[in-house]
Structure formats: structure tokens, C-alpha cells
Amino acid sequence: MEHNTTDFPRNDTLGDWSSGVSSSTDLALPGAQSSAFKRHLIRSRYGGPPPKRAVPAIRLDAGFKWNLQALANAADAVESGGKSPVSALNELGVRVSYSVLQQGGPAHCPSFTVAVTVADMTFEGWGHSKREARAAAARACLAALLARAGRLLPAPPRHQDFTSDDPPNGQASEFQCLEMKTKQQNALPKPVVEPPAVNVSASAALFGPPVPVPAHKSPINTLYENYPGLTFICTYGDGSPLDSMQAPLQLSHSMRFKVVCQIKDQKFEGYGSSKKLAKLAAARAALGELHEARAAPQRVFTSAPLPQLLADHVARLVNEKFNELMRGDLVHSKRKVLAGIVITINYSVEGARVIAVTTGTKCVSGEHMSVTGMALNDCHAEVAARRCLQRHLYAQLLMYASSPDPRKPIPQSDLEPLPDGGYQLKLDRQIHLYVSTAPCGDGRIFSPHEHNEAEPDKHPNRLARGQLRTKIESGEGTIPVKNCNNFIQTWDGVLQGERLLTMSCSDKVARWCVVGLQGALLARLLRPVYLHALVLGSLLHPHHLHRAICGRIESYISSLPPPFRLHRPMLARAASTEARTPARAPSFSVCWSCASPVPEIVNATTGKLENGQPSLLCKQSMFARWQYLVTRLPLLPQETEPGVINKSVPSDLENLPYNEAKQLCTTYQVAKECLVEAFEKANLGRWVKKPIEQDNFVCDIHNPDPNALFA
């Protein structure tokens, strides 16, 4: 047969296909152009009415002749998702019949094989339901018809086979056509065809081919395969049954439903905003404990693994404590970011205690800055949780200050005395920080849909990664410090209208990994208290978070005075994922510490309580606690490092300014300066400090009652 190349008008062509085939591709038509048709072309070119154009078509051996344009339109509708393959095939105007050839598989994941008969052809398709199998068979038929015309129907999205060890690799064009009922010499070729040469798309030329996403089994199906006797029990988040008269109102959106997965005598819990997500979270928790599955996103991304069961337990304790504190308070139970600190003993779930629970995403307004240390500058949940931990550490030191012998260990305390003076966190205690989402700043600057590549930053000059970033006054989000006008903030400049800048939470966590969580004041009494694990409820990207908290400075920081060091906490994500809430964040912060029975509600704009009183977490309160303890407890011994000597505590504490008190621990200040220099050496920006007038105050609380001061 002679192949002629004909340029069809737009309404007679297949259009632009995703495979890159142009509209003027060669078509094998039944028969060459007739001389009458050529005469019609000449007459239409030199005058006279134009003749009717011959419709491009393909002829089947059984006598059917299908319009090629109709096939193209049907394929376009299937490819774009506008129509299902079954509907597109039915609209071609030919008799179509379906039959179920085979049905099998387990009850929780059945499999069906359906055959479709069109004209003299029969095709088969496979799926987990009859509907899915019918669609696969119809797509195979459309692919075969288009292959006859030299076209290729794009493969459908690959469906995962949860019942096999290996994911299926069958595509629509790879379904085999069954033996035809009427065998003839010119049999229709199988749908598996060699694809024609296609043009590379512009996006593929610029960015390269798309990275294939590996298929993984669902955790639920994996559990069913390995533990057939398991059960899932769904309730509301507080444990009340689903058939209750009224759903609980105080539950957060991400904790609305609770699913308990029971395997023999073991139970695993999962929470979610829907029953499906809660069941999936319970299955992930079970796999993480039973198989120690470290597949993303439940993998621990550091050398020392944190058990998934412990990560889920930490997240559950914080969420349950918050729901308990906010029960009946619908206004203050609204939150966007939740954080909490849990202390464990030897990484054991038994005996884990919640130390702090906080919420918040705002910073103080510049006009409400305090020269007496009465206002909280940063009410982000992570920062407030750290201040609540410091309040707990002060309460632990009060136990020693109130005992007859401050050097004698107290079993129920989390701290222990050192032989030469000072205290430290007991070696069997671990501090875990839970945050419902990634900390703002560098740890959150990534796309949640990025692939977890081994080297995410391939470009050698990509300097945007790792930059120090600041929070913006009266807003959410962060900006790089290089975009700031001034690195030195002044009091009068802020009052004149300059936006008050506060370092991002990612940068502050990075500082805690060097100088500890205890702060400058407690560093005179305590050895550095480091974070052992960071558990996130959502948006955990291992490479970005590791870079944000320790990776970006580990090659530049040096000469840290002992006992300070660069500490690398373990990273994990809870199986019960936190739901994204696009609503506007509230302007208050809920702060609870185990030292107090009720939480504080702080106005994040003013940095004070809603009634205008200062918070027990403010600098003034912390300074008063420190002054009470520093004269009653043995201090850490002075370092013998050359040039690093701790200053002695003056006897006149009433006239000691707050900023000078922080300078008494020289080793802490040297470690902090090493951190700032490391960021500058890495070309990541300069740490932005608050106006110096903020810390130039003395303690206004004299001869306080310890029960009221440390309550």
C-alpha cells in the first residue's frame, strides 16, 4: 500500500498529543487518493464550490470504519480526565460488551479481570474492582485502535498492587489483546507497539525527565498481610464512641478521630482529621514498632534511631495534655502551632512526663517593648516551650536550695549535683521537643512535595539555603537577614516605625544545639542542657531540617569552650500527621508548665497576659528566680581555659543589671560568639539582636516568697 502524506485541517487532525507527535504525522489511509478527489482540489483552488473532504479513518477487518478524529477526541477526553475510558468507548457508536473473566484475591484487596468485546476484537483489563478493570480494558481497546493509526495513547497513572511484593508494571498499552474470534490473515496487531519517535517537550528539555516516585505498599495492607487477625477500632479523639449524641467540641482538628490498632495483646493508636487518616496513622505506628520500618515519612534521619513508638507517644502526650487544659475553653483552644516538651527516662515510654505545652505564632509589637523585662518578645510555640522548660529547671533547683544539704542528690529531681559544684541533668533523662509543624525559617523553606534526594542542593552557588532569617513584626513568615536594612536595631528606630525583627525558630533551635536550652543565667548553675530529639507533626524534610539546626555550621564552628559542643538531636515525625490549617493564626499564646496547675494566656502583641499583668515567663520573673538561687546553691567551678574565666557573682545583686548578670558566665558568651562567627564564616548572615536598652534593667522583685515566685 502506498503511504501518502496529507496535511489535514485542524478539525480533521489528532491535535497536539502529550507524546509530542505533530499534527502532520504520516497516516496510512485505505487506498490512495482518487483522481476525482484531485480534480476537486483543483476546482476548489481555481473556483467553484469546495468539495466535501474525505474523513481520515481506519478500517477494521470486520468491516467497521471508524473516524480517526472521533478516536482522537475520545483519547483527548480520556487523557485530560474529562471522561473515563468506558464512556469514551461507548460514545464511539459501536456495540460494546463486557464480561468478568476472573475474580480472586483476599477479601480486603480483591482482583478482577474483565474482557471487553468491540467488533471482532477482545481485550482484557485488570483492577481491584470491576469498575477499575472495565476502565483498563476500555483503555486497552482505545490504545490498540490508535496504535493502528500510528498513535500511542499515554499510559494511565500506575495503580499499586498492595497484594504483591513487587508493584505491577503493566500499562494500558501493554495489555495483551486476546485471540480474535474471527481469525483472518490481516489480524489486528497487539496493543504493545513500538512508540514512534516523539519530540522532547520543552519542560523536559529544561528540567530533565521527571523523577519516578517509588511505589510503596499501604501500611494498612502491609499489616493485613502479616497480621491477619488484627482489628481497628475507631472513636473520637477523646475516646468517646462515634454513636455519641454529640461530638466533642474541644478536640483540635488533627485529633478529631482516634483509631486503635490491636495486634494480639499490643495496641497502637493513631489520630487524624478523618477516620481514614487516623487508621493510616495507627498502621504506621504499628509498623514502626513491630518492623522498625524507617520508610519516609516515619524514618528517623540521624545515626541514632528514635523508636517510632516513642515519637508517637511524645506527640500523643502533648496533644492530650493540650486538650485536657483547654477542655471547655473553645476560644483559646484555637491554635495553629502546638509545641511541647517531654522528659523520658532511658528513652522509655513508661514514666514519660509532659513538662511544657504551648501554642503561638506571633511576636511582640515594637511599641510594646519593655525596658523592665515585663513583656515576652517571642510567643512562638517552640520558644515559649523552652521558657517553660527553664521555669521547670528553676523549680528543680529550688528543691536543692530548700534541702538541708544542696550537694546531696534528690531522687525525685531531674537534676543531680556535681562533685565540684553546680548541677547537671541526670544522665538517664532525655528531653524531647514536639512541634506540630517544622520550625519557621530555614527548616521550613522547602516544597513539601520535593523528593528526598541524597543531595537536595546540587547547585554549588545556591546561597539561599541556610540563610539566617528573621520574623516580621505584625505578620507571619520570615525573610533573610540580608534583606534587612540594619543589622543593629535601635530603640528609637523601632518606636519611630521600623519593624521589630526577631530571629526565626530554626535559627534559635540551631543556637540551642550549641549553647543549650538553659540560657545564659542558668549556665552559671547548670551544665548545658541539650535537646535529645525533635519530633514534628508535619513538614519534616530530613535534609532541610538537619541543615537548619546543625548541618549548616558544623564545618565552620570551632574553639567551643567546654562543656559546650555542637549537639545533633535525633529527628522523627509522628505517625499521626498534623493537618494544615490555612485560617489566620490567633494573636494569643497558651503557655503551660508543670510547675503551674493552670496555663497562662499571653497576648502575643503586647507580650503580657490578657489582663495586662506580666507573665511568669518574662525576663523579670526569671531574673528574680536566678537571684534567689545563686546565693543559696554551689556554682559551677570556674574554667581553667586560658582567657576564659567566669566572673564571680557580686554581693550587691539588687543593683546588678540583667545584661551584666548574663555576662557572668563567660564560657556561655564565648560559645554564643563562636556560633555567630560560624554563621558569618559560612556567609549565612549576621545574627540580629534586640535593642540593648531591653536588657538594661534591675530586678524589681525583692525578698519574694519562694512559693509564689516558683509557682
Side-chain angles (χ1 to χ4, degrees):
M1 179 182 295
E2 181 183 359
H3 289 240
N4 297 326
T5 302
T6 305
D7 293 333
F8 297 109
R10 178 62 184 168
N11 59 348
D12 290 335
T13 63
L14 286 172
D16 297 329
W17 285 79
S18 62
S19 59
V21 182
S22 63
S23 60
S24 58
T25 307
D26 294 345
L27 295 176
L29 300 179
Q33 293 179 337
S34 62
S35 57
F37 180 70
K38 294 180 181 179
R39 286 195 300 271
H40 284 310
L41 290 177
I42 297 175
R43 183 169 57 182
S44 63
R45 187 171 300 174
Y46 296 100
K52 293 183 178 181
R53 303 295 301 271
V55 179
I58 58 175
R59 187 184 303 277
L60 302 181
D61 296 321
F64 290 94
K65 185 178 181 181
W66 281 6
N67 189 335
L68 192 58
Q69 182 62 38
L71 283 174
N73 293 337
D76 287 337
V78 172
E79 182 183 357
S80 63
K83 293 181 181 179
S84 66
V86 176
S87 299
L89 187 60
N90 290 336
E91 293 178 3
L92 291 178
V94 66
R95 182 180 179 85
V96 180
S97 62
Y98 297 91
S99 60
V100 179
L101 298 181
Q102 187 178 359
Q103 176 179 353
H108 68 276
C109 191
S111 62
F112 297 89
T113 303
V114 173
V116 58
T117 302
V118 179
D120 58 347
M121 303 176 299
T122 301
F123 299 87
E124 73 172 8
W126 177 89
H128 288 294
S129 63
K130 295 180 181 178
R131 180 179 181 181
E132 183 180 345
R134 282 196 301 268
R139 177 180 281 272
C141 179
L142 291 175
L145 295 175
L146 289 171
R148 180 67 180 272
R151 308 291 182 178
L152 185 65
L153 182 66
R158 184 170 299 179
H159 297 283
Q160 183 179 345
D161 181 9
F162 301 113
T163 61
S164 63
D165 294 333
D166 298 321
N169 54 7
Q171 300 179 356
S173 59
E174 297 174 351
F175 281 115
Q176 299 296 322
C177 177
L178 300 180
E179 184 179 0
M180 294 188 179
K181 296 180 180 180
T182 307
K183 294 184 179 180
Q184 298 184 6
Q185 183 178 359
N186 298 325
L188 186 70
K190 292 184 178 181
V192 180
V193 296
E194 192 70 24
V198 297
N199 298 326
V200 180
S201 63
S203 61
L206 285 176
F207 306 106
V211 179
V213 180
H216 298 283
K217 285 186 180 181
S218 167
I220 300 176
N221 286 278
T222 303
L223 282 180
Y224 273 122
E225 291 179 1
N226 295 278
Y227 305 94
L230 82 166
T231 58
F232 288 96
I233 302 175
C234 182
T235 61
Y236 286 113
D238 61 349
S240 57
L242 297 178
D243 56 357
S244 301
M245 297 297 295
Q246 184 179 1
L249 300 178
Q250 73 276 6
L251 293 178
S252 62
H253 183 63
S254 300
M255 300 281 292
R256 181 171 178 81
F257 293 98
K258 171 184 175 181
V259 170
V260 177
C261 174
Q262 183 167 359
I263 303 176
K264 296 182 180 179
D265 57 344
Q266 293 181 289
K267 293 184 179 180
F268 307 93
E269 297 181 358
Y271 296 84
S273 57
S274 65
K275 300 175 186 176
K276 180 179 180 181
L277 293 178
K279 184 177 181 180
L280 186 61
R284 287 171 174 169
L287 284 180
E289 176 65 16
L290 297 175
H291 293 271
E292 297 184 354
R294 301 300 173 191
Q298 289 77 42
R299 179 186 302 175
V300 176
F301 305 99
T302 53
S303 56
L306 181 71
Q308 185 64 42
L309 182 62
L310 179 57
D312 296 334
H313 188 67
V314 169
R316 181 168 61 254
L317 287 178
V318 174
N319 279 275
E320 289 179 350
K321 188 62 180 180
F322 177 74
N323 292 333
E324 175 188 342
L325 295 172
M326 293 293 103
R327 181 171 289 113
D329 191 349
L330 298 180
V331 176
H332 296 115
S333 61
K334 298 179 181 179
R335 54 89 178 174
K336 201 164 189 179
V337 178
L338 173 67
I341 290 181
V342 176
I343 290 184
T344 60
I345 301 177
N346 293 326
Y347 293 98
S348 176
V349 173
E350 292 76 15
R353 294 176 290 120
V354 182
I355 302 301
V357 174
T358 55
T359 65
T361 58
K362 299 293 181 64
C363 294
V364 68
S365 175
E367 61 179 336
H368 292 287
M369 291 188 305
S370 175
V371 293
T372 58
M374 296 290 189
L376 292 178
N377 289 328
D378 194 344
C379 286
H380 279 64
E382 306 94 307
V383 180
R386 179 227 181 193
R387 298 191 74 85
C388 289
L389 173 65
Q390 291 177 341
R391 185 178 170 186
H392 171 69
L393 295 176
Y394 277 114
Q396 296 292 298
L397 290 173
L398 179 64
M399 298 173 60
Y400 283 97
S402 304
S403 64
D405 185 4
R407 298 180 181 271
K408 183 178 180 180
I410 300 178
Q412 60 269 28
S413 176
D414 292 324
L415 304 178
E416 61 183 2
L418 295 173
D420 297 333
Y423 300 85
Q424 69 176 4
L425 187 71
K426 289 184 177 179
L427 299 179
D428 60 350
R429 301 297 201 270
Q430 298 84 38
I431 297 179
H432 310 274
L433 172 63
Y434 168 79
V435 189
S436 60
T437 185
C440 65
D442 188 55
R444 201 187 295 177
I445 306 300
F446 64 90
S447 171
H449 304 288
E450 288 183 23
H451 301 291
N452 292 337
E453 301 175 359
E455 297 292 338
D457 300 326
K458 296 181 179 179
H459 201 286
N461 296 325
R462 183 177 292 176
L463 298 180
R465 298 294 194 193
Q467 292 290 321
L468 290 173
R469 304 177 73 91
T470 62
K471 307 165 188 175
I472 308 174
E473 178 187 350
S474 303
E476 294 188 61
T478 58
I479 58 174
V481 296
K482 291 187 176 181
N483 295 340
C484 303
N485 296 329
N486 297 315
F487 288 105
I488 300 178
Q489 300 189 90
T490 59
W491 187 275
D492 51 350
V494 173
L495 293 183
Q496 286 295 326
E498 290 186 5
R499 280 189 162 183
L500 183 64
L501 301 179
T502 306
M503 297 304 296
S504 69
C505 293
S506 294
D507 300 330
K508 291 189 175 182
V509 175
R511 185 173 66 178
W512 301 342
C513 290
V514 174
V515 299
L517 296 165
Q518 77 291 331
L521 293 180
L522 280 176
R524 201 65 179 89
L525 294 166
L526 280 176
R527 292 176 64 90
V529 178
Y530 289 113
L531 187 66
H532 291 83
L534 177 58
V535 181
L536 298 186
S538 64
L539 295 182
L540 172 61
H541 194 292
H543 302 289
H544 292 292
L545 189 60
H546 174 77
R547 180 197 64 240
I549 63 177
C550 57
R552 51 182 169 167
I553 60 172
E554 58 186 357
S555 300
Y556 301 92
I557 194 167
S558 59
S559 303
L560 285 173
F564 295 94
R565 56 189 174 88
L566 177 60
H567 180 75
R568 298 170 179 83
M570 294 178 287
L571 308 179
R573 203 197 76 173
S576 300
T577 58
E578 181 80 8
R580 177 176 177 265
T581 54
R584 186 176 181 85
S587 59
F588 57 82
S589 174
V590 177
C591 302
W592 175 84
S593 174
C594 62
S596 177
V598 294
E600 291 184 336
I601 309 299
V602 181
N603 187 331
T605 303
T606 63
K608 297 182 180 181
L609 302 181
E610 292 185 332
N611 58 7
Q613 295 295 321
S615 168
L616 291 176
L617 301 176
C618 67
K619 296 179 181 178
Q620 186 72 229
S621 299
M622 297 291 188
F623 194 23
R625 297 186 186 100
W626 179 82
Q627 287 192 356
Y628 182 87
L629 295 174
V630 77
T631 58
R632 292 170 172 83
L633 295 176
L635 304 180
L636 281 174
Q638 295 188 5
E639 301 294 335
T640 58
E641 291 288 331
V644 180
I645 301 177
N646 284 330
K647 302 177 182 179
S648 60
V649 178
S651 58
D652 187 12
L653 294 178
E654 294 183 357
N655 298 323
L656 178 66
Y658 178 76
N659 55 356
E660 293 185 11
K662 293 199 301 183
Q663 297 294 327
L664 292 178
C665 186
T666 313
T667 52
Y668 180 92
Q669 300 300 331
V670 172
K672 188 171 69 172
E673 189 61 30
C674 290
L675 173 71
V676 174
E677 293 178 357
F679 280 114
E680 291 184 347
K681 291 179 183 178
N683 197 25
L684 300 178
R686 178 76 179 178
W687 196 279
V688 179
K689 300 180 180 180
K690 291 289 192 302
I692 59 176
E693 291 82 0
Q694 274 201 332
D695 292 345
N696 193 19
F697 63 88
V698 296
C699 184
D700 296 333
I701 305 175
H702 303 292
N703 299 322
D705 180 8
N707 296 327
L709 182 61
F710 292 86

